[in-house]
Amino acid sequence: HVVALERALEDRGLHPNTVTKCLGGLHRVLTFAEENLPTRRGFRVPRFPRRAHQLHRPTVPTVELRDRVLQLIPEDRRGIFLAMRLAIRPGEARAFDVGDYDFGTHVLDVRHGMQGQSHAAPRGPTKERTWRLVEADAELAAWLEAHVPPARRLGGGPLFRHPAARRRKGSTDRWTTSSLEDEWRRACSAASGRLRLYAASKHATLSHMVRHGATLYAAQHAAGHADPKSTQLYARLEPVTFAEVFRLGAGARPVQPSKRHAAKLKTP
């Protein structure tokens, strides 16, 4: 019966991990019955087989392809995407207020995330309830200097404003999840490619960091991961050759055995 239930859930097109969670709920019910029924009713519940979760394998595009798509976004809307290029989640980038950025040191204070997808969603803690400081790169710092005038720096409000946001009652010009996705899809269509926003921003940046020698601790802090196991996924996203590991040049030759060792190899 358990196998039949498992196959019925899979035939509905559910993700394997969703099937695992459904069976896990039934497993907890039967485990409770197994621990309590024998002492009350004298009935033994049969053992329930466990099903393991599949390891998440995120899709990671190259940073060159990501940057090519970024250049196709209109310049007045590009700022929030430049922030997400620094391994900042979309919800965290949407939650930035003007006071979260230091125009003198060019440092972003990442401690909030949007608790919904709409304009009126409240700000709350980040996804993993972590807090970190992220230094803006030169391109983002120049964009903020040009698009956030001194008068608005004192008035507060969202750091990144959507220039075509609908002004409804009780809403702001803060970016929404759908507006971010729509803008990104238009740029991808112009570049003749299909990239997921989250994978092209956070995943690509962290994979690039690990590939070029950053420690897992540094990548964990940049990503705002509370659990280092989440960061370890990015350590094996791109193939690394032995030449890159040992820093061998392109024209390096293999190590030749010594004459004494070569003579032993020729001995029958």
Side-chain angles (χ1 to χ4, degrees):
H1 292 84
V2 172
V3 174
L5 174 61
E6 181 178 352
R7 291 178 179 175
L9 293 174
E10 291 176 343
D11 291 341
R12 297 183 61 181
L14 300 177
H15 191 275
N17 286 345
T18 303
V19 177
T20 303
K21 291 179 181 179
C22 294
L23 296 178
L26 181 57
H27 175 268
R28 284 190 288 270
V29 173
L30 294 181
T31 301
F32 174 82
E34 181 184 0
E35 295 175 351
N36 294 273
L37 285 181
T39 59
R40 298 179 182 178
R41 305 289 183 179
F43 175 73
R44 174 65 62 179
V45 178
R47 287 286 180 178
F48 189 84
R50 297 302 298 268
R51 175 184 166 117
H53 283 265
Q54 289 188 354
L55 181 63
H56 176 57
R57 292 285 182 178
T59 304
V60 181
T62 62
V63 293
E64 292 78 15
L65 180 59
R66 186 267 314 279
D67 291 342
R68 188 162 69 247
V69 174
L70 273 177
Q71 296 305 316
L72 297 175
I73 298 176
E75 200 271 339
D76 59 338
R77 306 184 181 189
R78 196 180 302 162
I80 191 169
F81 296 94
L82 294 176
M84 287 188 288
R85 190 173 61 174
L86 303 176
I88 294 175
R89 300 181 180 92
E92 296 170 347
R94 290 173 50 220
F96 280 133
D97 280 344
V98 176
D100 295 328
Y101 177 67
D102 191 331
F103 286 87
T105 60
H106 308 300
V107 171
L108 289 162
D109 188 350
V110 187
R111 67 176 66 202
H112 295 101
M114 299 301 293
Q115 307 301 304
Q117 301 182 3
S118 66
H119 292 280
R123 293 203 311 164
T126 61
K127 179 182 177 181
E128 311 230 359
R129 299 184 179 275
T130 57
W131 169 75
R132 64 194 188 278
L133 298 175
V134 177
E135 183 178 1
D137 57 10
E139 188 175 2
L140 176 58
W143 190 95
L144 291 171
E145 189 68 29
H147 290 83
V148 183
R152 192 157 73 84
R153 300 175 193 179
L154 299 176
L159 180 64
F160 301 105
R161 288 182 172 181
H162 194 301
R166 296 181 180 180
R167 302 301 177 88
R168 297 176 179 175
K169 184 178 180 180
S171 66
T172 64
D173 49 4
R174 197 183 294 272
W175 283 81
T176 64
T177 301
S178 59
S179 58
L180 278 176
E181 294 287 349
D182 291 343
E183 193 68 45
W184 181 255
R185 277 194 293 266
R186 281 193 291 268
C188 287
S189 299
S192 301
R194 296 181 60 184
L195 300 177
R196 292 179 60 250
L197 177 59
Y198 201 95
S201 55
K202 189 168 186 177
H203 292 173
T205 299
L206 293 179
S207 176
H208 186 75
M209 288 175 57
V210 174
R211 180 73 182 274
H212 288 78
T215 63
L216 287 179
Y217 178 79
Q220 178 187 354
H221 180 72
H225 288 152
D227 189 353
K229 292 181 180 179
S230 300
T231 315
Q232 290 175 2
L233 291 173
Y234 302 97
R236 52 177 179 270
L237 292 180
E238 300 183 33
V240 179
T241 63
F242 283 103
E244 290 174 309
V245 173
F246 294 105
R247 300 292 190 271
L248 296 179
R253 294 178 297 176
V255 178
Q256 299 294 332
S258 62
K259 295 182 179 180
R260 182 178 179 182
H261 183 61
K264 291 183 179 180
L265 294 177
K266 295 180 180 179
T267 304

